[in-house]
Amino acid sequence: MRKVSLVIFFFLIALFSVSCGEEVEHTAPAVYERDSLPDMVSYGVNNLISDSGVIKYRIVTEEWQLYSTSGNPRSVFPKGVLLTQFDESFHINSYIQCDSAWHFDNLHLWKLRGRVRIHTKTGLSFSSEELFWDESKHELYSYTFSRLVTPERTLQGSYFRSDERMTKYVVTNTRGSFEQNDLGGGNDSLASAPDTTKAKLRQQTVPQRRTGGIPLTH
């Protein structure tokens, strides 16, 4: 009986030793792509941004992710952003808002997506699902369907380009309504027509800069 007990004892010791040797640690895999994680995340941001000592913008966002460890430093606003643009006298020029945004530092480029809206102090409104803002060239542009409304006219088109103050803009492949004065008419009633008709009428007063486009300024 004693021999049987000893055999069982040594068997249990051997089994325990094997179990300890095969124990596996539960660890997370190493993160090799450092660029996949932000260096800093800020919440509830209300920040003023200056350029050459002059305050130009205010950024209001729920979440601001900052990536700076790779050759593509950028800021990401996954829950949307509201940008307020100021002039030299700190007066508000325009508001820009969207559902999500990216700012690429090296390119000096903003990419705005999802319910992009712009409102200026002149009464102009712009809406689209995507908009790019080139800070170096001081230009806004979009390759998606866009709608632009001013006190004088309404334009819709698949291509949009403007200066960042929204005072000079081009909309191509357009459909919209204009005052007849804009189309060569003599009264203030609104008229609407297909692109081909409006393009022919506008050739009387405004030269075309781009095929199918209508350059406008105010």
Side-chain angles (χ1 to χ4, degrees):
M1 189 67 181
R2 183 177 180 182
K3 291 181 179 181
V4 174
S5 299
L6 289 174
V7 171
I8 295 174
F9 175 73
F10 286 116
F11 174 77
L12 291 175
I13 291 178
L15 181 62
F16 180 76
S17 299
V18 172
S19 299
C20 291
E22 294 180 352
E23 184 176 354
V24 178
E25 294 184 5
H26 297 282
T27 58
V31 177
Y32 295 102
E33 293 292 338
R34 297 179 61 192
D35 193 43
S36 63
L37 297 175
D39 299 288
M40 183 179 69
V41 180
S42 301
Y43 300 96
V45 177
N46 188 340
N47 192 28
L48 294 173
I49 298 178
S50 62
D51 184 10
S52 302
V54 178
I55 295 177
K56 288 192 173 183
Y57 309 104
R58 172 185 281 125
I59 294 182
V60 179
T61 182
E62 185 177 343
E63 182 177 339
W64 184 345
Q65 301 176 0
L66 182 63
Y67 297 80
S68 60
T69 57
S70 71
N72 183 28
R74 63 195 184 278
S75 295
V76 180
F77 306 88
K79 297 183 179 180
V81 65
L82 171 64
L83 296 171
T84 305
Q85 185 184 39
F86 302 99
D87 62 15
E88 294 78 3
S89 302
F90 202 55
H91 297 145
I92 296 175
N93 270 333
S94 62
Y95 295 95
I96 305 176
Q97 62 183 14
C98 60
D99 289 341
S100 57
W102 296 257
H103 180 262
F104 304 95
D105 296 357
N106 292 342
L107 299 176
H108 303 287
L109 179 70
W110 281 89
K111 178 182 179 181
L112 314 176
R113 284 189 59 86
R115 292 186 295 181
V116 182
R117 302 290 185 268
I118 299 178
H119 299 280
T120 72
K121 64 180 181 181
T122 61
L124 180 146
S125 298
F126 171 88
S127 60
S128 183
E129 285 302 306
E130 183 176 75
L131 181 69
F132 295 91
W133 178 5
D134 190 325
E135 294 176 305
S136 299
K137 296 181 179 180
H138 305 286
E139 286 186 342
L140 301 167
Y141 59 92
S142 176
Y143 298 102
T144 61
F145 178 81
S146 303
R147 177 180 173 88
L148 186 143
V149 180
T150 73
E152 298 82 20
R153 58 181 66 90
T154 298
L155 287 174
Q156 299 179 133
S158 58
Y159 174 80
F160 167 81
R161 184 176 292 273
S162 169
D163 67 327
E164 63 184 16
R165 294 181 178 273
M166 299 287 284
T167 57
K168 299 179 181 180
Y169 43 84
V170 175
V171 182
T172 64
N173 298 324
T174 60
R175 296 188 67 86
S177 59
F178 306 83
E179 290 185 3
Q180 287 189 355
N181 288 334
D182 293 330
L183 301 175
N187 56 53
D188 295 332
S189 62
L190 292 178
S192 60
D195 281 348
T196 53
T197 303
K198 289 185 292 185
K200 291 179 180 178
L201 290 171
R202 288 196 64 82
Q203 285 176 358
Q204 302 174 11
T205 56
V206 181
Q208 296 295 310
R209 297 179 183 175
R210 184 185 298 271
T211 302
I214 302 177
L216 300 169
T217 62
H218 60 266

